[in-house]
Amino acid sequence: MNRTAPSPISTGLRGRCPACGEGHLFRGFLSVRPACEVCGQDFSRFDSADGPAFFVMSITGFVVAGTALWLEITYEPPVWVHALVAGTLAVGLSLLLVRPLKGVLAAVQFANKAEQGRFR
């Protein structure tokens, strides 16, 4: 049976194995399993490094800064309101985005057969 690989975006967002789309990619919140429990795909070569952190900081920073500007222009609240809103948004968005983005980056690495760069 010739089975096509599942989409790296959908499997990564769901935290599933990029090879079969069924097994779990993560053991804990961010710990990658050693292998898929369904198809046996080895996950030891997946290394997203600082990629998820970069995207989380970029997206979160854009949303928090935009919200702070909108809040200031529209309502002119005191500083403690800005701190409360910005802190809540920053922590909430960071926790919400880091796992799916790490899964997507790992799945894209698998789909593109990414390897460690080497000098010749």
Side-chain angles (χ1 to χ4, degrees), residues 37-52:
E37 72 267 14
V38 175
C39 70
Q41 173 65 43
D42 180 25
F43 295 154
S44 65
R45 294 178 41 189
F46 292 173
D47 181 23
S48 58
D50 292 336

Side-chain angles (χ1 to χ4, degrees), residues 9 11-16 23-33 48 52-53 56 92-107:
I9 303 297
T11 56
L13 288 174
R14 293 182 301 127
R16 299 296 181 172
H24 294 92
L25 180 62
F26 297 106
R27 177 177 42 215
F29 184 64
L30 289 176
S31 300
V32 177
R33 290 178 181 271
S48 58
V56 167
L93 281 174
S94 295
L95 291 174
L96 185 71
L97 292 173
V98 71
R99 183 179 166 131
L101 287 174
K102 184 171 182 171
V104 167
L105 289 176

Side-chain angles (χ1 to χ4, degrees), residues 25-83:
L25 180 62
F26 297 106
R27 177 177 42 215
F29 184 64
L30 289 176
S31 300
V32 177
R33 290 178 181 271
C36 177
E37 72 267 14
V38 175
C39 70
Q41 173 65 43
D42 180 25
F43 295 154
S44 65
R45 294 178 41 189
F46 292 173
D47 181 23
S48 58
D50 292 336
F54 169 77
F55 287 113
V56 167
M57 287 187 297
S58 299
I59 294 166
T60 300
F62 181 78
V63 171
V64 170
T67 302
L69 286 171
W70 172 79
L71 195 62
E72 181 62 32
I73 291 169
T74 307
Y75 298 106
E76 297 180 18
V79 173
W80 68 267
V81 173
H82 277 292

